[in-house]
Amino acid sequence: MDIRKEYLEFFKNKGHDIVSSMPLVPDDPTLMFTNAGMVQFKDIFTGAIPRPANPTATSCQLCIRAGGKHNDLENVGYTARHHTLFEMLGNFSFGDYFKKEAIAYAWEFITVNLELPVDKLWVTIHESDDEAYELWQEHIDASRIKRFGDKDNFWSMGDTGACGPCSEIFYDQGSEHFNSDEDYLGGEGDRFLEIWNLVFMQYDRQKDGTLVPLPKPSIDTGMGLERVIAIKEGVLNNFDSSNFQPIIKKIEELAGKTANEETIGSYRVIADHLRATSFMLSQGILFGNEGRPYVSRRILRRAVRHGYLLGFRKPFLAKVYDTLCNILGSHYTDLNEKADYIKEQLTLEEERFFKTIELGMSIFNEELAKTKEIFSGDVAFKLYDTYGFPLDLTEDMLRDKDLKIDNAKFDELMDEQKTKAKAAWKGSGDVAS
Ligand code: SER
């Protein structure tokens, strides 16, 4: 089943307009990246621009959550369900239908179209939302509806803008597969997989935090396509689905080894990060030292470091790229059209980091051997400044060792460097901006 198509057609048949994915870089200085399907509609929700003739829409939106309010970068490779870039299916009502229809549509799609077994489904609602509690009981037993507070069941795009209480649908993958302390509904484990978030958009959050009611209550929903594909294919990890497996197989082929329990995380990180950086390049986000280009650089360098762990010593991502195109290129045609350019840029950035990674890793390992609790801020800064290791990459390398970096020292050195750079700039006779 082509779930993307099934979803869009389902909502088209319910009167929604199918709209294209908006660019990854939104026209909004408060947002690093488009992080949800609703971003392209944010001004319609708040009433800043008039709603379209058809007040309902559906989309499959490319999202990046690797910076800003929603950031999953650190989780990638360590959980079964997080990605830096993912596809979000969504349906939207701009002051048209509200909770009752949103809930009924979602239930129909997952039980009839996707045919997910009802006995594996759970629902959460905001603790104050008695209306949603009533409405859900038309579809699911009350024992499977749980109330949570703002942390879990109130959704906001960023620090300001449209927001509201939400209701999430979870799929239970079974205690026989997942039984850590975090594998309870609302926990951090992978057992209860959140597949769909229905946001009941009711407020416009102001800079000072006040919640101003929207002109009309609206609907914003988001369903992670990668997760649903994995569930439908009967695998317990997104990376084991047909969306990622061919990429992982290709990396194995190039590395000349197969993944094992110890190394699988590296393959997954590379597969995820290749997707994210390729899409970013396809939309003109290059690698650089600040802002979005620096996020892209951090993601790419993390992939290179994991490639290094697998034995790669020179650029390899361009060789994996065609496999990514085979999976997503027919829907995202830019990936094919700009293939040569993207491969070239990936290779150039890999080359830059491969030049310094060897020495950087040995400096890191030397310091690590001496470290008891806190990893030296001086060394972390040297790795950053001289060897091109972003700070969060060094943090990632320390993650499973339970060590923290001396961030205060790192920040101090960073400030010093910035001050020096400014002074040098002034001396050049130009005006620093
Ligand atoms: N905006 C909500 C989310 O991102 C629903 O689409 O989860």
Side-chain angles (χ1 to χ4, degrees):
M1 178 197 286
D2 180 344
I3 296 172
R4 192 194 291 117
K5 190 160 170 254
E6 182 82 14
Y7 184 95
L8 297 174
E9 289 294 322
F10 175 86
F11 281 101
K12 188 176 167 205
N13 288 334
K14 306 256 182 233
H16 296 57
D17 275 348
I18 299 179
V19 299
S20 308
S21 183
M22 73 175 282
L24 289 169
V25 175
D27 178 17
D28 180 342
T30 67
L31 275 186
M32 188 73 139
F33 295 107
T34 297
N35 60 10
M38 56 72 72
V39 173
Q40 66 172 305
F41 308 116
K42 63 193 177 59
D43 293 336
I44 303 179
F45 285 122
T46 57
I49 59 172
R51 60 183 191 161
N54 181 352
T56 59
T58 183
S59 69
C60 177
Q61 176 67 51
L62 281 172
C63 300
I64 291 190
R65 291 193 174 175
K69 183 173 171 66
H70 297 275
N71 185 358
D72 289 332
L73 180 59
E74 284 166 24
N75 289 316
V76 175
Y78 300 103
T79 74
R81 64 184 196 284
H82 285 105
H83 302 289
T84 46
L85 171 137
F86 64 100
E87 293 180 81
M88 185 186 279
L89 299 164
N91 55 289
F92 308 91
S93 151
F94 315 119
D96 190 64
Y97 63 82
F98 198 44
K99 289 183 196 180
K100 184 176 167 61
E101 293 84 350
I103 288 173
Y105 290 162
W107 191 253
E108 182 184 338
F109 186 75
I110 51 175
T111 57
V112 179
N113 297 66
L114 293 182
E115 297 178 301
L116 297 187
V118 173
D119 64 349
K120 290 192 184 296
L121 297 173
W122 291 75
V123 161
T124 66
I125 54 169
H126 190 261
E127 58 196 358
S128 65
D129 200 346
D130 294 335
E131 189 190 355
Y133 187 68
E134 291 300 319
L135 290 167
W136 269 119
Q137 284 181 65
E138 288 173 23
H139 307 284
I140 191 168
D141 193 76
S143 63
R144 283 174 177 259
I145 308 170
K146 301 283 173 208
R147 292 176 191 257
F148 287 104
D150 285 355
K151 189 178 139 293
D152 295 291
N153 283 82
F154 192 95
W155 197 86
S156 322
M157 173 192 80
D159 294 333
T160 57
C163 57
C166 61
S167 179
E168 298 185 324
I169 303 171
F170 285 79
Y171 183 79
D172 180 3
Q173 307 198 82
S175 59
E176 66 277 27
H177 302 295
F178 298 96
N179 48 28
S180 79
D181 291 351
E182 283 297 323
D183 282 311
Y184 55 90
L185 191 64
E188 291 299 314
D190 284 324
R191 175 176 164 188
F192 291 93
L193 193 59
E194 181 215 323
I195 52 173
W196 203 343
N197 186 12
L198 317 181
V199 184
F200 309 130
M201 285 289 184
Q202 275 164 290
Y203 307 106
D204 182 6
R205 195 195 297 272
Q206 308 297 300
K207 277 199 189 114
D208 65 2
T210 346
L211 295 177
V212 175
L214 291 181
K216 288 194 172 138
S218 294
I219 290 295
D220 151 35
T221 88
M223 170 152 73
L225 179 59
E226 292 77 3
R227 295 179 181 188
V228 182
I229 290 177
I231 290 174
K232 280 305 288 176
E233 291 181 0
V235 293
L236 299 168
N237 190 309
N238 291 0
F239 293 97
D240 291 339
S241 75
S242 58
N243 233 351
F244 291 90
Q245 262 311 296
I247 302 178
I248 289 176
K249 290 250 151 22
K250 184 70 192 177
I251 303 168
E252 286 181 327
E253 184 195 313
L254 293 169
K257 42 189 144 188
T258 41
N260 57 37
E261 218 172 290
E262 223 172 90
T263 59
I264 185 67
S266 291
Y267 290 88
R268 290 172 176 163
V269 168
I270 296 168
D272 175 277
H273 291 9
L274 170 67
R275 278 174 30 125
T277 48
S278 298
F279 272 104
M280 286 160 111
L281 285 169
S282 82
Q283 297 198 13
I285 307 169
L286 289 162
F287 301 105
N289 284 335
E290 269 171 31
R292 296 175 181 113
Y294 193 54
V295 176
S296 196
R297 170 161 286 167
R298 280 158 51 208
I299 297 176
L300 196 279
R301 292 193 173 198
R302 185 181 280 223
V304 171
R305 184 234 157 190
H306 281 279
Y308 184 87
L309 292 178
L310 298 179
F312 289 104
R313 292 295 177 268
K314 48 184 206 258
F316 62 101
L317 290 173
K319 296 195 186 112
V320 191
Y321 183 79
D322 290 339
T323 312
L324 169 66
C325 282
N326 290 342
I327 302 168
L328 291 173
S330 62
H331 189 71
Y332 298 101
T333 49
D334 267 6
L335 290 181
N336 282 319
E337 282 156 21
K338 298 182 183 163
D340 290 343
Y341 167 77
I342 295 171
K343 286 188 203 177
E344 188 189 329
Q345 294 301 321
L346 288 170
T347 304
L348 285 172
E349 179 64 9
E350 285 175 272
E351 266 167 6
R352 279 180 213 118
F353 196 38
F354 269 120
K355 270 194 196 136
T356 54
I357 194 171
E358 181 106 34
L359 210 50
M361 289 297 283
S362 70
I363 290 171
F364 171 83
N365 286 327
E366 228 170 78
E367 185 61 28
L368 183 64
K370 290 191 253 168
T371 305
K372 296 222 164 50
E373 275 168 31
I374 307 284
F375 188 87
S376 154
D378 285 285
V379 175
F381 186 76
K382 189 170 169 191
L383 285 171
Y384 160 80
D385 197 33
T386 314
Y387 298 96
F389 282 57
L391 181 63
D392 63 344
L393 176 58
T394 306
E395 271 164 0
D396 188 48
M397 301 197 293
L398 293 168
R399 182 180 165 126
D400 55 354
K401 311 209 157 44
D402 246 354
L403 298 173
K404 295 259 171 310
I405 295 177
D406 180 353
N407 279 317
K409 184 70 194 174
F410 182 92
D411 291 344
E412 184 192 314
L413 293 169
M414 190 77 164
D415 285 346
E416 250 174 50
Q417 195 205 46
K418 280 192 184 142
T419 316
K420 269 191 224 151
K422 251 193 202 156
W425 185 242
K426 268 186 197 150
S428 73
D430 285 334
V431 182
S433 54

